[in-house]
Amino acid sequence: MLFGRNKKNPIKIADKGVVEWKYTTCGYCSTGCSIEVGLDKKGDAVTSRGVADADVNRGKLCLKGIFEHELFKSAGRGRVPLMRKKRFDEFKEASWDEALDKTASEIKRIQEKYGRDSFAIVSTGQIMTEEFYTLGKLARGVIGTNNYDGNTTLCMSSAASGYKRSFGSDGPPGCYDDFEHTDCLLAIGSNLPEQHPVIYYRLKAAMEKKKFPLIVVDPRVTMLAQMADIHLPVTPGTDVVLLNSLAHVIIKEGLEDRAYMEAHTSDIESFEKLVAEYDPESASRICGIDADMIRHVARTYAKAGAAMTIWTMGINQSMHGSDGVVGINNLNLITGNIGKPGGTSLSITGQCNAMGTREWSSCSGLPGYRALENAEHRKEIAEFWNVDEEFFPKERGLFMTDIFPAIETGQIKGLWIIATNPMTSMTNTARMRKIMEKLDFLVVQDAYEDVETNEYSHVYFPAAVWAEKEGCFTNTERRVNLTRNVVEPFRESKPDFWIFNEMAKRFDHSVTFPENTEGAFNEMRELSKGRMLDYSGLTYDKIEEKRGIQWPFSEDAEEGSPRLYTDGEFQHADQKAKLIPLPFVDDNERPCDDYPFWLNSGRVVEHFHTRTRTGKVGNLNKFSPTPYMEMNPDAAKKLGVEHGSYARLTTRRGDAVVMVQTTQRVSPNMVFVPFHFHECVNRLALGLLDPHSRQPAFKQCAVKIEPIVNQGAAAVRNKAARAY
Ligand SMILES: Nc1nc2c(c(=O)[nH]1)N[C@H]1C(S)=C(S)[C@@H](COP(=O)(O)OP(=O)(O)OC[C@H]3O[C@@H](n4cnc5c(=O)[nH]c(N)nc54)[C@H](O)[C@@H]3O)O[C@H]1N2
Ligand SMILES: Nc1nc2c(c(=O)[nH]1)N[C@H]1C(S)=C(S)[C@@H](COP(=O)(O)OP(=O)(O)OC[C@H]3O[C@@H](n4cnc5c(=O)[nH]c(N)nc54)[C@H](O)[C@@H]3O)O[C@H]1N2
Ligand code: SF4
Ligand SMILES: [Mo]
């Protein structure tokens, strides 16, 4: 029987019995979607929906956001503080006072015996900005360790470093609205449809209104590459060569914006001298992109009225991560594409509050984009916090990726880990295990007690998660958005803000700590007055009313600021941006006879990072429950590896068993493995560090692949990596 169009039943949305909707911002990725969580009459969170009048997401959510309310009561949540005398003993439940007292006394003991910097703190990009600010005050102004950093070193450190080198300050200059104005978009090492689905929706909507070329640079045929007009499958780790060569063609053919360069950039000559060496033919031999294609892309980009570049981990996670970012900035500076609608260098950030930590956590310096190296900045903050200026170090301490080796060498004895899971997210799991075992004292503060890193702790602090708390996140386009406290924290878990305040009480000091997050927010507003990073006009109510506001937003501002550097004035002393020459040295591990494949790693849409959260949500985990790799069918056939079977991957660091998914998304000399699973790709990856940003090259190393005869045993081993 045929059903006519008008005979179809209309879609019916299940009635969950919602009696109240509360305003929040998504706690997964940096897109910054506004979400309303629906509460039923018992006060339980039963559903989530996108906020229709929020400019970022315009009612949309991706599947992680749709199921986010299921987090609050998901399996593995931390219920009570846990303690044990010796690592690997059974944990005993403890009171908050016992756990906090023990931790404070261990911090003091270690610092007295080995010096202040022998106790390190490693935080995250996933707590509220007010929590970051408070932790910074505690770490810098009270505990006083210089070995304080965050997992953003695994993520955004190259972007921050590249922005500082080019423009004199961190801070992404563009916004999503630039998609509506651009005439050409270059996306490098970024897979928007899977990793930032709602930014992708904004891009697609813009492309439907006005067609412009989309050029994707990625060694893999990602979902974004499949939508592209031009896909450049660059040789891993060589983006800088491609970028230098694009600049070469633009300058050689006189396509640059000379007036902009002369007015707003410095060091033109040394830059031009360097790019002169990167003719397309020579570059092609290194980066694997045909010389004529390099010319075509350079001309398309330079001749577009406005052109913009976005990038994510394909650039940042590289031995040339910071240089890659500078290369992108160079390209946009020589074509006059900074600070204008549709012309920008927009780093797509990763975690929901990767920006908030860069702005306010004091990890790499002092709050509000201030530097430890700057005497005036030290003085301002010392006065504001009521700390002796001399208490502050005069330069930043170790990055996260240098803190772990310093534990290995015995320089660092104690560690406090907050909202990050390095046992799964850092490379070389076997080495990480030894490092963790070397610590005299480890305290882990996480929303989940079953997080792998907690296996090595002496004390565990159960943290409240996402909308069990209140505070702000800053998204990719500098938009500060608000999460309201939707439900009470699970069992005895506490907001990170509370934990930091309670810890501060256990130290003798002159610093005061506001009682609630709004108090901390007001201190940040005060400290930001008149700076580029100006929060002074923001209030919680105003943020909620506008569904997020982009900084700078001064006290007399009516609207947020979509773009930075619109007047061509930058943050270097001469107010000019720097053109920086980028000589390329190829120092990655590369495929060879013994390890013939590139090992690439990254993400899938339904999982977030180490799956502490998405692994527990049935409607997400079911789409991707098993560690697997993407492998080219021709390469698989040659090795006798079958689709759907298990195969062994081996590198110079270790081995792992994964299920094989044959696909044309990867070339015959590469495999791609999502990093979400424990005891999987990070047992294998090398992660050499970028010299400027200390960010690991997670995505480039060499691997060997073998079929497995005993598939039954392999299935058991593979299950171990699933954990749940
Ligand atoms: N679903 C989901 N979304 C997320 C996250 C998540 O875990 N899950 N995490 C969030 C976070 S913290 C981050 S940082 C972002 C990451 O977002 P993305 O960076 O978009 O994601 P990845 O999959 O890590 O890597 C992107 C691409 O880099 C490519 N790549 C590898 N090597 C190179 C290279 O040498 N050059 C170039 N040009 N490309 C290369 C890979 O092939 C891959 O397709 O996603 C955020 N959003
Ligand atoms: N091979 C490979 N490795 C990679 C990458 C890659 O592409 N390839 N990507 C890297 C990147 S870009 C990133 S960002 C890192 C991410 O690596 P991690 O930071 O280790 O990953 P997450 O699983 O997000 O860890 C965050 C932890 O915080 C907890 N949490 C969530 N909310 C809260 C909260 O409000 N308070 C507290 N206290 N805890 C909370 C979660 O339960 C979780 O355990 O991984 C890096 N590692
Ligand atoms: S796109 Fe990112 S911010 Fe938006 S709902 Fe999905 S995970 Fe959350
Ligand atoms: Mo990230």
Side-chain angles (χ1 to χ4, degrees):
M1 195 168 55
L2 287 174
F3 289 95
R5 207 181 145 80
N6 49 11
K7 296 248 177 73
K8 268 193 180 160
N9 291 328
I11 294 170
K12 193 161 183 289
I13 295 173
D15 182 1
K16 301 268 181 70
V18 172
V19 295
E20 189 188 0
W21 292 96
K22 281 201 173 171
Y23 185 82
T24 66
T25 305
C26 179
Y28 283 115
C29 90
S30 65
T31 302
C33 297
S34 294
I35 301 187
E36 278 173 340
V37 177
L39 300 175
D40 67 8
K41 59 177 188 285
K42 288 188 297 192
D44 283 338
V46 287
T47 189
S48 307
R49 68 179 184 194
V51 177
D53 61 353
D55 187 54
V56 166
N57 53 316
R58 303 175 184 181
K60 300 268 188 296
L61 291 179
C62 81
L63 79 170
K64 291 185 295 303
I66 289 171
F67 294 110
E68 203 153 350
H69 60 279
E70 292 189 11
L71 285 185
F72 300 126
K73 292 183 176 168
S74 50
R77 284 295 309 274
R79 305 150 293 124
V80 287
L82 301 173
M83 283 168 70
R84 58 185 159 198
K85 283 220 172 65
K86 272 202 356 256
R87 177 180 297 117
F88 307 135
D89 281 359
E90 281 284 301
F91 267 130
K92 290 211 170 67
E93 295 189 358
S95 69
W96 271 105
D97 276 338
E98 284 167 335
L100 287 159
D101 287 346
K102 172 74 184 165
T103 303
S105 77
E106 283 295 300
I107 297 175
K108 288 177 196 167
R109 181 185 67 79
I110 289 170
Q111 287 191 315
E112 272 160 29
K113 188 156 174 204
Y114 303 104
R116 274 188 4 209
D117 294 343
S118 64
F119 188 86
I121 303 175
V122 169
S123 92
T124 182
Q126 301 178 39
I127 56 177
M128 267 80 184
T129 309
E130 298 80 348
E131 298 177 328
F132 280 130
Y133 173 74
T134 307
L135 174 61
K137 210 183 208 185
L138 177 66
R140 295 257 177 242
V142 177
I143 294 177
T145 172
N146 199 14
N147 291 326
Y148 160 50
D149 195 32
N151 70 356
T152 36
T153 291
L154 312 184
C155 180
M156 300 316 304
S157 176
S158 294
S161 153
Y163 277 140
K164 284 183 198 164
R165 288 166 71 200
S166 297
F167 304 146
S169 171
D170 190 10
C175 58
Y176 306 152
D177 198 42
D178 282 322
F179 299 144
E180 305 265 337
H181 301 280
T182 199
D183 300 304
C184 179
L185 191 130
L186 177 63
I188 316 189
S190 172
N191 186 16
L192 285 184
E194 291 205 66
Q195 270 66 81
H196 300 88
V198 172
I199 303 185
Y200 176 65
Y201 146 73
R202 292 285 304 271
L203 171 63
K204 199 153 176 291
M207 285 197 295
E208 276 164 14
K209 277 194 216 150
K210 184 185 84 170
K211 181 64 198 136
F212 52 84
L214 170 63
I215 304 163
V216 171
V217 184
D218 195 307
R220 242 172 111 219
V221 193
T222 56
M223 259 199 229
L224 189 65
Q226 289 169 40
M227 314 293 173
D229 299 284
I230 300 175
H231 172 217
L232 307 179
V234 69
T235 301
T238 65
D239 299 82
V240 169
V241 175
L242 175 65
L243 288 160
N244 278 345
S245 194
L246 293 175
H248 172 102
V249 175
I250 291 168
I251 303 243
K252 186 159 178 222
E253 299 190 1
L255 301 173
E256 77 277 20
D257 184 340
R258 191 53 67 174
Y260 186 91
M261 282 167 75
E262 278 169 7
H264 303 298
T265 70
S266 63
D267 300 345
I268 299 176
E269 228 170 83
S270 51
F271 171 73
E272 287 188 331
K273 201 163 151 228
L274 188 278
V275 297
E277 295 169 21
Y278 286 78
D279 62 277
E281 275 72 19
S282 310
S284 167
R285 282 192 284 275
I286 306 170
C287 70
I289 306 301
D290 179 72
D292 277 337
M293 181 56 93
I294 297 178
R295 284 190 193 94
H296 176 57
V297 168
R299 289 169 193 151
T300 307
Y301 200 86
K303 288 181 184 173
M308 64 186 284
T309 314
I310 60 168
W311 75 91
T312 320
M313 290 305 122
I315 284 284
N316 289 358
Q317 290 173 350
S318 152
M319 294 198 66
H320 314 284
S322 172
D323 280 358
V325 174
V326 170
I328 289 167
N329 295 339
N330 285 342
L331 176 68
N332 289 314
L333 287 167
I334 63 171
T335 52
N337 278 309
I338 295 291
K340 78 177 188 197
T344 194
S345 280
L346 182 63
S347 140
I348 305 291
T349 23
Q351 304 165 81
C352 56
N353 207 14
M355 283 291 291
T357 179
R358 281 152 73 176
E359 294 162 11
W360 293 105
S361 72
S362 308
C363 270
S364 64
L366 289 167
Y369 287 158
R370 288 177 175 85
L372 282 163
E373 292 77 7
N374 182 319
E376 217 163 285
H377 290 174
R378 289 198 303 271
K379 187 160 180 272
E380 275 167 23
I381 299 299
E383 273 170 18
F384 194 83
W385 284 352
N386 196 21
V387 184
D388 178 358
E389 209 180 309
E390 288 306 310
F391 193 66
F392 292 147
K394 296 192 175 56
E395 56 185 29
R396 80 170 282 178
L398 297 177
F399 287 73
M400 174 181 181
T401 43
D402 293 311
I403 286 176
F404 292 117
I407 296 169
E408 199 170 33
T409 55
Q411 245 175 294
I412 289 174
K413 304 285 186 190
L415 179 63
W416 184 0
I417 290 190
I418 299 145
T420 183
N421 183 16
M423 282 312 300
T424 302
S425 57
M426 281 286 294
T427 56
N428 206 337
T429 313
R431 184 177 174 197
M432 281 301 295
R433 190 173 295 129
K434 279 202 219 146
I435 289 173
M436 289 297 179
E437 287 178 8
K438 208 157 176 214
L439 283 165
D440 281 6
F441 180 75
L442 173 67
V443 48
V444 167
Q445 175 170 331
D446 200 287
Y448 288 85
E449 64 182 28
D450 61 1
V451 58
E452 289 88 11
T453 306
N454 201 24
E455 286 169 23
Y456 297 82
S457 72
H458 299 88
V459 175
Y460 165 71
F461 292 157
V465 78
W466 185 47
E468 292 172 344
K469 313 188 279 184
E470 185 152 83
C472 293
F473 297 145
T474 309
N475 79 349
T476 290
E477 53 169 4
R478 283 172 287 100
R479 189 181 296 270
V480 180
N481 210 339
L482 183 69
T483 287
R484 291 285 189 195
N485 181 198
V486 169
V487 293
E488 286 307 303
F490 181 71
R491 304 279 290 271
E492 285 178 41
S493 67
K494 294 283 185 192
D496 298 276
F497 186 79
W498 181 92
I499 301 172
F500 301 144
N501 275 293
E502 286 299 311
M503 186 61 81
K505 288 182 191 158
R506 285 159 170 83
F507 288 78
D508 285 335
H509 59 86
S510 51
V511 186
T512 52
F513 285 77
E515 280 193 0
N516 55 28
T517 53
E518 210 159 353
F521 192 76
N522 286 336
E523 290 197 5
M524 288 152 43
R525 291 173 55 196
E526 191 63 34
L527 280 172
S528 70
K529 235 177 238 174
R531 297 179 63 77
M532 182 175 88
L533 172 63
D534 194 336
Y535 266 45
S536 58
L538 298 174
T539 62
Y540 278 9
D541 287 342
K542 232 186 255 176
I543 296 170
E544 180 172 348
E545 186 196 312
K546 299 254 186 196
R547 277 66 175 103
I549 299 177
Q550 287 164 290
W551 65 257
F553 189 78
S554 61
E555 279 167 305
D556 47 11
E558 303 261 305
E559 297 290 328
S561 312
R563 296 176 189 88
L564 300 178
Y565 312 125
T566 47
D567 54 4
E569 284 185 13
F570 293 88
Q571 295 284 309
H572 285 302
D574 61 0
Q575 297 192 329
K576 289 189 168 185
K578 277 197 170 74
L579 285 171
I580 303 174
L582 304 166
F584 177 76
V585 181
D586 191 357
D587 37 16
N588 261 326
E589 184 181 65
R590 303 182 122 262
C592 59
D593 288 349
D594 293 338
Y595 302 94
F597 292 85
W598 283 107
L599 174 59
N600 184 355
S601 67
R603 303 157 156 79
V604 297
V605 65
E606 52 275 346
H607 277 308
F608 194 79
H609 294 174
T610 69
R611 297 193 315 142
T612 53
R613 288 180 277 174
T614 52
K616 314 291 182 26
V617 177
N619 276 319
L620 301 178
N621 197 49
K622 72 182 179 196
F623 293 111
S624 185
T626 298
Y628 73 95
M629 71 166 158
E630 293 179 355
M631 185 178 193
N632 183 283
D634 295 338
K637 204 168 166 196
K638 256 196 202 159
L639 287 180
V641 169
E642 277 180 39
H643 177 78
S645 74
Y646 293 105
R648 182 184 310 282
L649 301 180
T650 311
T651 67
R652 293 183 176 88
R653 274 73 53 197
D655 68 339
V657 172
V658 293
M659 191 177 263
V660 180
Q661 185 192 77
T662 53
T663 166
Q664 299 284 358
R665 271 195 294 264
V666 283
S667 58
N669 68 346
M670 172 179 286
V671 293
F672 175 84
V673 183
F675 90 98
H676 305 295
F677 300 91
H678 184 57
E679 299 284 358
C680 189
V681 77
N682 279 333
R683 284 168 66 94
L684 308 164
L686 171 59
L688 293 173
L689 301 180
D690 176 288
H692 296 277
S693 67
R694 311 303 288 159
Q695 184 158 345
F698 281 116
K699 295 186 176 345
Q700 296 108 25
C701 70
V703 66
K704 169 164 80 183
I705 299 161
E706 291 159 299
I708 289 181
V709 181
N710 187 342
Q711 288 286 316
V716 172
R717 175 138 185 207
N718 178 274
K719 209 173 166 189
R722 278 189 258 167
Y724 22 80

